[in-house]
């Protein structure tokens, strides 16, 4: 199953135009990433707080299809993909009542925090990538099979 | 029962000191307020998005007893109290594994948004205040009884 | 001259990894856009607060070349470009002491806020686009000439 | 002279009610504190990024007198005061065109970050406190003298 994170739009997520401020949508995607890591058994506090190995975002992009309003119940699905020995992408889809409202991608590079030099992804991240990738492939196959039937 | 909201500390809640940035703790309390309103049947979108009657915060204070870290599971309890025909306070307590880490208060005044003149609290807010206040009193009475026994 | 906005990195812009949180870099670019609008004589309050015509972001992307730290003095340059009768792009470059640390793009569509239907860019936005585009072209021509010489 | 920090209200500072989100006003006060530290010669990056000695906020309060809108030009004045060998308060006043729109206080305690035990304020902070306090007293004396005359 594709990892999915539920998130209600809160008042501070919005701006004076009455909808979610664009950069906050990327923050919500990052929350989904954090929750997915936690779900796979990773200790979030040591992962994100002054770690020795980190996975900074080197690229992000987001497309908005519809506005999001305060109180909206978002479902954020996430599929990570290893794209090198030291980097991975995460693809996100945000839906409200099964309608896609935004899509995003973040690209992460694994670095040694002390010298900021790239290094190979550690085992816990490879496990997380495989677990979520396989799940995603399974879901896609099932979906395809249903469509064929 | 006192209304309680569960909230995991997320990476964007933190700052370069490695803990929750102080102003973000107040935002988390506001989320608890939003969730409590929703729980009582109020439509969050119309309540917060360009409404004609609003409840802006005219005062807030917060005390920090311990730092909060990325990944911490917070429990935020909330007790509102009517303090006039046009205003109310909300008292919040943030706990992590049953240890209080912060306490906060927000004071809200009811205004007509068009002229920003104070006005009486509408019925849906009086219902919300009574429901949560009565629940809180019940919880305190039960607690007191247990202590006496 | 290309419009440039100066911005110091503040503590709440950072996260527990000790650097600017990725989504906040997009917010800083948006600040540069706001300042550029104001500079061209547009009333920021009426432009952004419950307007009847708005320019929501339908796409954004950002690339990070180096981390940004608390206290860093950023220079954010901005070049907008009309890409249709109802839309425009803005290209941003963030530098610290003349080294590029991030690049970003936002795409904006002009809509009637009441029905969210696309509409032609109003005159004040066309003026802003032309003023900043012409300035940018001038700067590029000058740069090219210097390179030839 | 009392230290004063100029700050324009930006779009992401606002919420769907069309005004500055309450917790963001405290963030703006913190920016004034950061700028005041920098002005006294303190290195902001080492002060705020994984320091060994830190000054976390243990209490904050804020009063809102008038709403702040996108584009508003704020003046934030700041007076710090030593209140013990290991703590200090900062009092802030936010004005728009010489009208006070908000007042705030933050209380900071000096700690050793490794064990989070309180410790005496270091010399650079005592200098900062004295410099800004003396300035503030001078301004108050001058004001008093003018009122008497």
């Amino acid at each position: 199953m594709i990892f999915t994170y539920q998130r209600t739009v809160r008042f501070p997520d919005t701006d004076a135009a009455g909808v979610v401020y664009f950069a906050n949508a990327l923050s919500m995607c990052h929350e989904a990433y954090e929750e997915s890591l936690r779900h796979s058994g990773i200790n979030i506090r040591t992962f994100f707080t002054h770690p020795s190995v980190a996975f900074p975002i080197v690229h992000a992009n987001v497309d908005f299809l519809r506005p999001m309003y305060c109180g909206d119940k978002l479902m954020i699905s996430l599929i990570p993909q290893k794209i090198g020995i030291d980097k991975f992408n995460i693809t996100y889809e945000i839906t409200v009542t099964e309608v896609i409202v935004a899509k995003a991608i973040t690209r992460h590079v694994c670095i040694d925090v002390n010298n900021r030099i790239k290094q190979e992804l550690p085992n816990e991240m490879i496990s997380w990538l495989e677990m979520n990738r396989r799940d995603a492939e399974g879901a896609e196959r099932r979906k395809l099979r249903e469509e064929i039937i």
Side-chain angles (χ1 to χ4, degrees), chain A:
Chain A
M1 220 187 69
I2 294 179
F3 184 82
T4 304
Y5 169 68
Q6 259 191 292
R7 170 68 151 79
T8 304
V9 174
R10 303 296 179 188
F11 193 45
D13 299 322
T14 63
D15 57 35
V19 298
V20 168
Y21 178 67
F22 83 111
N24 292 343
L26 284 169
S27 274
M28 293 174 192
C29 291
H30 198 277
E31 288 180 22
Y33 164 52
E34 295 172 45
E35 195 58 25
S36 160
L37 292 171
R38 196 194 62 75
H39 187 251
S40 81
I42 289 172
N43 181 312
I44 293 305
R45 177 168 164 182
T46 54
F47 188 91
F48 283 110
T49 313
H50 311 174
S52 51
V53 176
F55 308 88
I57 291 168
V58 291
H59 170 81
N61 68 62
V62 56
D63 288 285
F64 296 97
L65 287 75
R66 289 171 187 233
M68 292 171 259
Y69 296 93
C70 194
D72 277 358
K73 299 279 183 194
L74 309 177
M75 295 293 284
I76 308 179
S77 71
L78 160 170
I79 302 177
Q81 186 173 16
K82 192 165 176 280
I83 54 168
I85 55 163
D86 53 10
K87 52 180 169 280
F88 60 90
N89 276 353
I90 308 175
T91 305
Y92 309 87
E93 227 173 61
I94 308 180
T95 55
V96 178
T97 56
E98 304 196 4
V99 175
I100 299 175
V101 296
K103 292 175 176 205
I105 292 172
T106 53
R107 175 167 298 166
H108 301 247
V109 171
C110 180
I111 61 164
D112 178 324
V113 171
N114 294 315
N115 53 26
R116 299 197 78 88
I117 288 173
K118 284 182 198 173
Q119 61 166 66
E120 280 191 38
L121 293 164
N123 287 338
E124 67 174 7
M125 284 308 279
I126 290 177
S127 300
W128 171 75
L129 284 158
E130 280 175 2
M131 186 166 63
N132 284 280
R133 184 61 194 154
R134 197 170 43 239
D135 286 355
E137 278 167 0
E140 271 161 31
R141 262 201 304 278
R142 275 194 300 280
K143 207 171 149 190
L144 193 65
R145 211 180 314 139
E146 285 163 19
E147 280 166 6
I148 291 167
I149 293 164

